[in-house]
């Protein structure tokens, strides 16, 4: 069970993945990164590069460039479809009670000094499904606020194997990564952190889960 499940629909599950599960998931994601190389997204309008590198798996992937934020079925640089989401992640989605199947899995890679500014996950056409996040490798300082940009925030540390679910009223909560504590995990050779976020992008029908 989650360490914290709040009335707000936020759930944090520390250590939900065992070390063996983390290793097998890492191997799957390394195969995804071979087929679908990391690229550096840029901010809409300004074109400022992200410090985080990204790729995706799933039928849709989240991309950011000068034109904006969106989901698309192909890698922006190779033009190839994203590889499938590993079964281990789809099984986790179902185990957490999320509906149908995830369509997108964004892979975020943090090397030393990378961070992610406060944002909402709001580019999806439905907010009825939760966002499920899995952390691998070095521990991150994760900042969470409310559903508006202003107001108080708090921070929690996310370690390798931790799973966070943003559901219900928390689905549109502001959040970001302040920093990654380098050297805090030995899972990834050479260090760093990988975060995987599973999302539903389009509405689903319960009759034919797709
Ligand atoms: C990260 N996570 O942990 C970034 N989004 O690197 C997210 O942006 C995130 O953890 C939505 C829900 C949960 C998350
Ligand atoms: Fe997010």
């Amino acid at each position: 069970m989650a360490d914290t499940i709040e009335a707000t629909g936020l759930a944090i599950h520390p250590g939900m993945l065992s070390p063996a599960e983390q290793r097998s998931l890492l191997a799957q994601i390394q195969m995804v990164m071979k087929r679908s190389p990391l690229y550096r997204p840029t901010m809409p309008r300004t074109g400022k590069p992200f410090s985080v590198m990204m790729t995706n798996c799933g039928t849709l992937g989240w991309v950011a460039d000068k034109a904006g934020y969106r989901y698309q079925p192909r890698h922006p640089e190779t033009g190839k479809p994203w590889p499938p989401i590993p079964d281990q992640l789809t099984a986790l989605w179902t185990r957490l009670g999320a509906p149908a199947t995830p369509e997108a899995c964004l892979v975020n890679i943090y090397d030393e000094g990378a961070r992610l500014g406060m944002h909402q996950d709001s580019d999806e056409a439905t907010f009825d499904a939760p966002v499920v996040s899995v952390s691998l490798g070095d521990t991150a300082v994760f900042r969470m606020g409310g559903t508006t940009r202003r107001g108080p925030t708090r921070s929690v540390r996310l370690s390798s194997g931790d799973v966070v679910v943003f559901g219900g009223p928390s689905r549109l909560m502001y959040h970001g990564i302040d920093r990654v504590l380098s050297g805090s995990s030995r899972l990834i050779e050479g260090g760093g952190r990988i975060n995987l976020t599973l999302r539903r992008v389009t509405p689903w029908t319960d009759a034919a889960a797709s």
Side-chain angles (χ1 to χ4, degrees), residues 4-6 8 28 39 46 59 70 81 99 103 119 122-123 130-131 155 162 167 204:
T4 349
I5 302 187
E6 309 191 3
T8 58
Q28 299 286 309
Y39 79 99
T46 64
T59 54
R70 65 191 171 278
E103 295 174 294
H119 67 276
S122 60
D123 299 313
V131 177
S155 80
D162 292 357
W204 64 94

Side-chain angles (χ1 to χ4, degrees), residues 50-110:
F50 281 49
S51 58
V52 176
M53 300 284 286
M54 295 184 179
T55 189
N56 288 271
C57 46
T59 54
L60 290 169
W62 186 87
V63 298
D65 60 21
K66 273 197 98 160
Y69 301 138
R70 65 191 171 278
Y71 283 92
Q72 61 183 46
R74 289 171 183 273
H75 191 289
E77 291 176 356
T78 68
K80 291 190 195 161
W82 308 106
I85 297 176
D87 290 346
Q88 198 180 336
L89 287 174
T90 305
L92 177 69
W93 174 269
T94 302
R95 182 171 157 205
L96 289 165
T101 52
E103 295 174 294
C105 175
L106 173 64
V107 180
N108 284 162
I109 305 290
Y110 297 77

Side-chain angles (χ1 to χ4, degrees), residues 116 119-121 131 142 166 175 197 199:
L116 189 64
H119 67 276
Q120 279 177 309
D121 285 28
V131 177
F142 185 60
F166 278 19
H175 58 282
T197 42
R199 298 100 184 258

Side-chain angles (χ1 to χ4, degrees), residues 15-30 88 95 134-136 160-162 185-187:
M16 187 167 181
L17 301 191
S18 70
E21 288 170 325
Q22 293 169 41
R23 286 192 294 271
S24 71
L25 182 55
L26 175 64
Q28 299 286 309
I29 296 303
Q30 284 167 337
Q88 198 180 336
R95 182 171 157 205
V134 180
S135 292
L136 294 173
S160 196
D162 292 357
S185 162
R186 287 170 46 185
L187 182 74

